[in-house]
Amino acid sequence: MRRARAALARAVAEVSGQALGPYQSAVVRIGFAGTWLFFLLREFPHRAELYGPDGPWSQELAQRLLDSNGAFTVLTWSGSALWFETVYAVAVLASAGLLLGWRTRATSVVFMIGVLSLQNRSVFMGDGGDNVIHLVAIYLVLTRCAQVWSLDARRAGRRGSATAGAAGPVLWGVLGVVFAYGAATGRFSPGWLAAFAAVWVVCGLWWLVDRHEPEGEGRAVLDVLANLLHNAGMLVIMVEVCLIYATAGWYKIQGSRWQDGTALYYPLGLDYFTPWPALSALLAGSGTLVMLLSYGTVAVQVAFPFTLFNRRIKNVLLVLMMLEHAGIAVLLGLPFFSLAMIAADAVFLPTGFLVWLGARAVALRAAAPRAVRRPERSPAGPTPAPPPPETGLRPDPALERGTG
């Protein structure tokens, strides 16, 4: 019993004492924000037909569906084109801000509002990846996903706090006005009103404590609560990825086309899923390759949740799944679905690999200016070689302060 209590105490201290997976949460933040940003930019010429007043899914139909399912969108607050353009532009800016890790607590909330508003306005616009983005956009609000690889972490290292500056209070002030308007006009359901009010109050309390009592007991309590929420959010993302692959794999097993190994052949013959007809025809012409890819897809999806406690096998299957989604993006023409799934898979990437990747990025950034300024060889003799670039990660003060 003593050993069990000691193990439980260590587990509680581990979960409440730090935000686990700082690099994984940063990759998930960058991946999903980048995927949604690229989608919005690619569909910018068609935005009014997809989510706006020119779409086949009218404002009245959207409102009827929202009344029945209790979903949230700000696009039904007004039917004007100006309001739609404003919401779309804010969604683009919030995606860019979250991608860079700028004022992440505020931009993650605005990012979630943008995702939910657009997707709930036209529920039939998507290819499967939109469902993953929809859910992860909510989970990211709970996480401290800007501990590394973000402008917030950089600001914390330079100015001592990620909340320094006036931009944060201005953003939360604007959000407060929007929330107050929605509450006063009855635009929110009781659940969403309570959720937004809790986020606004807690983040305002965090800002006050961080500014006036950064080393006190109040900040310590808020850090513990933030760590618990972060770790819970990361756990939910992991469970979601496992459920996606497990359900997809077990449902495929029940299909006769997956059982006989011909399932991949049929989408390769559809014009909608053949952006490269010659490549699709080449692959479909090999029955052996089609069979191996069909069986391999099912095997990897079913096996992945059972390999999480074996690091080597898990990493191998993780690479295979990412390659599978890259193949789906190229062969079937579903790039944003594939990017969303690869971003979700990144939650399982090993920390050592991510640290090495960050070190390489730092080394390349340090070497780039010297390569530009390298003088030409003079007739008098060879130019001395520049010093080697740094290859190690510098200590990040943001990790110690628990920013994000």
Side-chain angles (χ1 to χ4, degrees), residues 108 111-112 115-116 132-143 192:
S108 64
F111 176 79
M112 179 190 70
V115 170
L116 298 184
V132 183
I133 296 175
H134 192 105
L135 294 173
V136 175
I138 300 174
Y139 304 150
L140 282 176
V141 176
L142 305 176
T143 63
W192 283 109

Side-chain angles (χ1 to χ4, degrees), residues 51-370:
Y51 302 112
D54 298 338
W57 191 251
S58 66
Q59 188 89 336
E60 292 76 16
L61 288 174
Q63 189 60 57
R64 287 173 59 185
L65 181 61
L66 295 174
D67 292 338
S68 64
N69 63 13
F72 168 77
T73 176
V74 299
L75 286 177
T76 57
W77 292 10
S78 173
S80 69
L82 177 61
W83 176 244
F84 166 73
E85 297 293 349
T86 301
V87 173
Y88 199 94
V90 170
V92 171
L93 294 176
S95 302
L98 189 63
L99 175 67
L100 298 174
W102 180 78
R103 304 291 174 179
T104 313
R105 288 194 181 91
T107 53
S108 64
V109 175
V110 181
F111 176 79
M112 179 190 70
I113 293 173
V115 170
L116 298 184
S117 296
L118 292 173
Q119 291 187 354
N120 290 335
R121 169 62 177 82
S122 298
V123 294
F124 295 111
M125 300 299 172
D127 52 15
D130 58 306
N131 295 326
V132 183
I133 296 175
H134 192 105
L135 294 173
V136 175
I138 300 174
Y139 304 150
L140 282 176
V141 176
L142 305 176
T143 63
R144 310 180 77 173
C145 55
Q147 298 177 96
V148 296
W149 299 346
S150 68
L151 296 179
D152 284 351
R154 183 181 181 184
R155 186 185 312 107
R158 290 184 173 182
R159 305 176 66 176
S161 173
T163 62
V170 170
L171 283 174
W172 283 109
V174 173
L175 282 174
V177 172
V178 174
F179 295 158
Y181 171 78
T185 56
R187 306 288 185 178
F188 293 124
S189 65
W192 283 109
L193 178 60
F196 285 127
V199 169
W200 196 85
V201 170
V202 170
C203 289
L205 180 62
W206 180 285
W207 181 84
L208 287 174
V209 172
D210 191 57
R211 285 294 182 91
H212 302 290
E213 195 182 0
E215 304 296 335
E217 293 182 359
R219 173 57 190 268
V221 171
L222 289 176
D223 269 328
V224 170
L225 294 177
N227 291 337
L228 291 174
L229 285 175
H230 168 90
N231 295 330
M234 293 294 290
L235 178 61
V236 170
I237 294 174
M238 293 179 183
V239 172
E240 180 190 332
V241 174
C242 290
L243 287 175
I244 289 173
Y245 285 120
T247 54
W250 286 106
Y251 271 109
K252 285 182 175 68
I253 288 177
Q254 303 174 44
S256 59
R257 294 294 177 261
W258 289 100
Q259 292 175 6
D260 60 26
T262 62
L264 184 60
Y265 172 80
Y266 298 98
L268 293 175
L270 299 175
D271 293 339
Y272 185 80
F273 293 109
T274 54
W276 311 98
L279 182 60
S280 299
L282 179 64
L283 178 59
S286 174
T288 302
L289 188 56
V290 168
M291 181 187 66
L292 291 176
L293 290 176
S294 298
Y295 285 156
T297 298
V298 176
V300 169
Q301 290 181 347
V302 171
F304 178 74
F306 299 100
T307 65
L308 296 181
F309 298 102
N310 189 309
R311 184 177 59 183
R312 293 183 178 179
I313 299 178
K314 181 264 295 182
N315 291 339
V316 171
L317 292 186
L318 193 60
V319 172
L320 292 177
M321 288 192 303
M322 289 184 171
L323 291 176
E324 173 193 341
H325 289 301
I328 291 173
V330 175
L331 290 174
L332 303 183
L334 298 172
F336 296 103
F337 165 77
S338 298
L339 285 174
M341 290 307 303
I342 290 173
D345 294 341
V347 74
F348 293 106
L349 287 174
T351 302
F353 168 75
L354 294 176
V355 171
W356 173 84
L357 191 64
R360 294 301 304 164
V362 171
L364 291 174
R365 186 179 64 179
R370 285 196 290 269

